[in-house]
Amino acid sequence: MRKTRRGFDENIWKNFGQIWDISWMTVAPIILGLFLGQYLDREYPKGFSWTLSMLILGIFFAFYNLYQFFDKEIKKYEKKDKKNEHDNQSHH
C-alpha cells in the first residue's frame, strides 16, 4: 500500500501531537510539584523540604501518566493486530 502525500503529512502531525502530549503529561506534574513545594516551604516551613517532597510526588505522577498512556496505546495496537490477524485468516 502506497502512502499519499496527504496521509504522510497527517501521520507526521499525529505523531507530533502524541509527542507533545507525552511531554506535557510528564513535565507538568514535575513543574507543578516544584512550584507547590516552594510555596509550601515559604508559607509552612517545617523541619523537612516541601519542595523535595512535592518534586518526588510530581515525578511519581509523571511516570504514572506515562504508564497509563503507553498501556492504553499498547492495548490499542494489540486490538488492531488481533483484528488484522482475524481479517487475514478469514480471507484464506
Side-chain angles (χ1 to χ4, degrees):
M1 182 185 327
R2 185 172 174 237
K3 280 194 173 187
T4 63
R5 177 74 178 151
R6 180 173 170 82
F8 184 72
D9 288 343
E10 289 172 359
N11 195 25
I12 286 175
W13 287 111
K14 180 182 175 191
N15 290 339
F16 181 74
Q18 284 181 328
I19 291 169
W20 185 259
D21 289 346
I22 291 169
S23 301
W24 277 108
M25 73 176 65
T26 305
V27 171
I30 295 170
I31 291 174
L32 289 173
L34 280 173
F35 284 129
L36 178 61
Q38 288 177 344
Y39 170 78
L40 290 172
D41 275 337
R42 280 192 309 272
E43 298 296 319
Y44 307 101
K46 298 288 181 189
F48 61 91
S49 171
W50 282 108
T51 302
L52 184 59
S53 302
M54 292 296 113
L55 174 62
I56 291 169
L57 190 62
I59 290 170
F60 170 78
F61 279 116
F63 280 102
Y64 180 76
N65 287 342
L66 285 175
Y67 172 78
Q68 292 289 2
F69 176 80
F70 284 115
D71 187 49
K72 184 178 79 170
E73 290 297 310
I74 288 169
K75 287 178 182 175
K76 186 168 60 171
Y77 282 111
E78 286 174 350
K79 185 177 178 182
K80 188 189 298 185
D81 285 343
K82 285 182 182 180
K83 182 183 180 301
N84 288 340
E85 187 177 295
H86 177 70
D87 289 347
N88 288 338
Q89 288 177 355
S90 64
H91 283 92
H92 289 130

